[in-house]
Amino acid sequence: LRTSHAMAAVLNQAIRRNKPEGEVDRELDDEEDNGEELDETALLERVFKKMARLTSVFVELNVLDNPKWHSMDAESQGVLVEVMQYKARREARIPSRKGTMPPYVSVVHVLPVEKEEIESWGMNFLKLEPSERLEVVSYIMFDSSVGKVSGRTWMEVDIFNAFAAEVSLGYSDNPYHSFTHGCDVVGSCFRILQQVRWEEWLSEVDTVALLVSALCHDIGHPGKTNPFLVETRDDLALRYNDKSPLENMHCARLFEICTINDLNVFRKFDRASYKQARSVCIAGILYTDNAQHFDLVKEVRKVFETSLEVCDVDLKNFEDGFPTQYLQEVIRKNTMLWIKVILHLADVSNPLKTFDMNKLWAMRVVDEFFAQGDEEKRLGIPIGMLNDRDKVNRNGAEHGFINFLLAPLVISVVRVFPMCHPLGTQMVNNMAQWHQTWIRESKPPEEDIQKRQADIDKCREQVSELVTRKPRSCKRDAGQPP
């Protein structure tokens, strides 16, 4: 016990010494050992709590860099890794295996649509038969510019097709969250990967895992939201402690399917490659929960703002690829973040499509929300703000989705990936078309029209600045906010 008391006192001093001035933790003072009698368990809990806080401080201050990590004794490293779950350094990602691709023979001999349509934001999975959707997905996985390099190296065609067929059976026939949506998100990921020049920075392992995640990201979706599951005490909410129950379930279903050898899409992966692919799937799918949306936007903004000296370059510098320093310090350094961003952006990308496609999918979203609202009324529980068919305007709902959710994400992404600026332009054009449709069909008051027009003008101005991007000084005047 005396040793534990001493450890607690030393940890207190270490925390104070490493905390920035003015940020001394008030809890620390409250917990200062004042001679109170504590049993052994309580004292050890206090020590480990302080160790966790100290580890957090060290991470924030980058104290545990590689030289200091290697200078620590094995027991200290063991406490940080096994008890505190600290990772001393970023694990190396599996490198590309370009050149190992088998001879090219088309997997899909006859496509149900033209290749140009698959590569466009006007691709319509809704018009295809179920077998045709699978053909398009197989084309993306094996025959496309992405698939020829990634899927062909790491997956077996027959295994993937059996896996995809099983995944399709796992989806429910919801208006929106259906297997058709899963295929559509694969298509959107494919297009975004092309736009962000994936071959310059993303390994084939990560690429395959990302596309598999896209196909499975909503498997088993009941057509109800996470708040509904929590409110009704659904088994999924209980199982996952109200934390992204749907997304946790989707990810678990993916890997449950892979436990069957003939359906294991990762069967060719060695241990290290599988571990990396699994981490991509888990991170990507969990971040499709819109509750994580603003945290993701903040992460993207943080990367841009903390790398201004590298990011502050003319748009023309990206015409032939990423500048070398930019590629290393901004893109490759944050690979997992961009994986999460690509899948989430693909999942919410309906307003980035042609307006006709945007409208088709938006109406399905509203149909599913209204069905949940009907159930909420029947159960006598709070009705979601977008779920009451008696109050929500179908054409008006998309404005808020674009303005408050999608636009901050797209604008942040385009700052880092300037070659994606056409997505911002299409988003603003769709926003304007929704505005006109809403005016024509709803006859709203002039005041409401002007408020929404101001939103559109603001988004258009932000996107225009990105399209005509010019370098800006990294040094700000004193007192100028970041």
Side-chain angles (χ1 to χ4, degrees), residues 377-397:
K377 291 177 183 177
R378 187 186 70 80
L379 294 173
I381 62 177
I383 302 170
M385 294 181 68
L386 295 175
N387 301 349
D388 193 334
R389 67 175 70 248
D390 298 323
K391 296 179 180 179
V392 175
N393 181 286
R394 281 179 175 267
N395 293 308

Side-chain angles (χ1 to χ4, degrees), residues 340-382:
K340 294 186 289 189
V341 166
I342 290 171
L343 183 53
H344 179 53
L345 181 60
D347 190 27
V348 297
S349 67
N350 294 332
L352 308 181
K353 304 180 185 345
T354 63
F355 182 71
D356 287 342
M357 288 311 307
N358 183 190
K359 190 166 186 177
L360 282 174
W361 284 110
M363 292 301 103
R364 288 173 171 266
V365 173
V366 174
D367 286 341
E368 195 165 296
F369 280 165
F370 285 173
Q372 177 174 314
D374 295 341
E375 182 69 3
E376 288 165 338
K377 291 177 183 177
R378 187 186 70 80
L379 294 173
I381 62 177

Side-chain angles (χ1 to χ4, degrees), residues 171 181-183 185-186 189 209-218 343:
Y171 273 86
H181 168 64
C183 294
V185 173
V186 172
C189 271
L210 175 59
L211 291 173
V212 169
S213 300
L215 187 66
C216 302
H217 81 283
D218 273 332
L343 183 53

Side-chain angles (χ1 to χ4, degrees), residues 18 24 73 135 143 155 229 307 324 335 353 385 396 430 455:
N18 287 284
V24 175
D73 59 70
E135 288 172 348
D143 292 342
M155 292 191 295
L229 300 184
S307 307
T324 302
T335 296
K353 304 180 185 345
M385 294 181 68
N430 283 347
D455 293 335

Side-chain angles (χ1 to χ4, degrees), residues 156-176:
E156 300 165 83
V157 174
D158 291 343
I159 295 296
F160 174 77
N161 287 338
F163 169 83
E166 185 69 19
V167 170
S168 71
L169 297 176
Y171 273 86
S172 302
D173 189 23
N174 299 312
Y176 183 71

